[in-house]
Amino acid sequence: MSELAQRLGAALKARGLKLATAESCTGGWAAMALTAIPGSSEWFERGYVTYSNAAKREDLGVAEETLRRHGAVSEAVAREMAAGALKRARAQVALAITGVAGPTGGTAEKPVGLVCFAWAHGSKITSETRRFDGDRESVRRQSVLHALERATELL
């Protein structure tokens, strides 16, 4: 994970960009991985851990209607989380992660391991949904790795 965080940091630094994170199921793990890199203050701006729906609304501006219509684990919410992080932070790039890490909380529609992501750069927002196998820690780790990898690719 460290190598991936270093690559993302180097890509951000080379472009003179700062990153903000908006995390739910990963509980700040992406921010932790990024800030573990010496010199990350040059390209990491801040991280939001918005575990509850209230936090998503209050801290990131996720619309109540979006939460009601799509649920917290949805690309629509991930996109609003990323957009909200950009709007509130002094950053030009944001990534968002929201999902069901387990071992409980899954449903037939949204099983354990389902994670939604979004990446924002300026006015462009990309999102996707993935399903990861494994226990809670494994789902969270795979989610962080995927979020960092795709952020690097999108830059």
Side-chain angles (χ1 to χ4, degrees):
M1 191 170 309
S2 176
E3 181 182 316
L4 189 52
Q6 286 177 338
R7 281 197 331 229
L8 177 54
L12 289 160
K13 185 177 177 180
R15 291 161 180 78
L17 300 172
K18 291 220 176 201
L19 173 76
T21 59
E23 302 179 68
S24 186
C25 67
T26 50
W29 195 337
M32 182 186 71
L34 293 165
T35 59
I37 306 304
S40 58
S41 60
E42 294 181 53
W43 45 265
F44 184 81
E45 210 279 323
R46 73 180 72 183
Y48 298 91
V49 177
T50 55
Y51 210 70
S52 69
N53 285 351
K56 289 174 180 65
R57 288 190 315 269
E58 294 165 11
D59 297 348
L60 297 173
V62 174
E64 177 68 39
E65 176 63 20
T66 306
L67 287 160
R68 187 174 25 257
R69 179 177 291 170
H70 301 283
V73 179
S74 64
E75 286 186 38
V77 166
R79 293 172 71 84
E80 288 189 22
M81 288 171 65
L86 270 194
K87 183 178 181 182
R88 289 160 172 75
R90 292 178 182 91
Q92 301 76 40
V93 179
L95 65 83
I97 308 168
T98 183
V100 185
T104 62
T107 65
E109 292 175 350
K110 296 181 181 181
V112 169
L114 186 77
V115 183
C116 300
F117 301 88
W119 301 268
H121 183 205
S123 61
K124 182 179 179 187
I125 300 177
T126 303
S127 62
E128 67 182 51
T129 300
R130 298 283 305 265
R131 172 88 189 274
F132 300 111
D133 292 324
D135 63 11
R136 182 177 180 80
E137 183 173 350
S138 177
V139 168
R140 289 165 41 112
R141 173 179 290 281
Q142 291 173 81
S143 297
V144 171
L145 287 169
H146 182 70
L148 300 180
E149 186 175 311
R150 288 288 290 137
T152 305
E153 291 170 4
L154 291 168
L155 286 176

